[in-house]
Amino acid sequence: MALAEAGARGRLLRWPRVLLFGDSITEYSFQENGWGAYLAERLVRKCDVVNRGISGYNTRWAKLILPRLITESTSADSIVAVTIFFGANDSALKELNPKQHVPLEEYAANLKSMVQYLKSVDITADRIILITPPPLQESAWEKACLAKGDKLNRCNATTGQYAQACVQVARECGTDVLDLWTLMQKNQDFSSYLSDGLHLSTKGNNFLAAQLWSRLENKLTALPSLLPYWRDVDHTNPEASLL
């Protein structure tokens, strides 16, 4: 059978998608042992896990980009989950990092705006997960800043205020939320979760992956595997199995 004929007979194969939208902590999530790679491995043949992490970005910029990533007419119907993971840059101290800093009230409004946009293109609240910034290990991040000729430009207490705002937005909008800032500090030294005081270490990636998977597993593992297992393909008439 010619390929064009096979294409005409068969239905277009479209994998459902999980969209990861965030800053550098999302962008780096497909690196070795990354939390995004963990999700992709568990959802192979069920979903495409799409990395839309953009290093250095804040919610002020992200809310402008989101409508260019997802539109009702072209892509929203295939999305089974979206993570929105910002705050590590928004919470930078204004006097030391004015370019990335976003005031707390605006940060909350921007998150709410993004959730409302997703709902407007029929991505329901149960498919949206907000993730708070992780805690900041100040001494380690100060070393990273000093190495670049900068002063310490973030503090953990301020990051915590943004995390609380993220949790409140999720509550108001009816979405799920993963409060990394609180969970990583619960009864333990959180420094091992971070590679440089801000970004996640292997342990931190594993922690986030496990927490996120516990929220997604029931929703997504029930999705069918696309295309039959190879032993189930009728080798004498593969068209019957594959088209």
Side-chain angles (χ1 to χ4, degrees), residues 5 24 26-27 51 61 104 114 132 142 152-153 163-164 181-182 193 223 243:
E5 184 182 349
S24 57
T26 298
E27 181 177 324
N51 187 335
W61 305 340
L104 184 60
M114 286 190 275
T132 77
E142 184 174 27
L152 176 64
N153 56 22
Q164 291 169 11
W181 190 86
T182 298
Y193 289 127
L223 292 170
L243 296 180

Side-chain angles (χ1 to χ4, degrees), residues 167-185:
V167 171
Q168 182 61 31
V169 169
R171 186 178 297 123
E172 293 173 2
C173 294
T175 71
D176 200 351
V177 63
L178 175 49
D179 184 359
L180 272 190
W181 190 86
T182 298
L183 289 170
M184 284 186 167
Q185 295 183 90

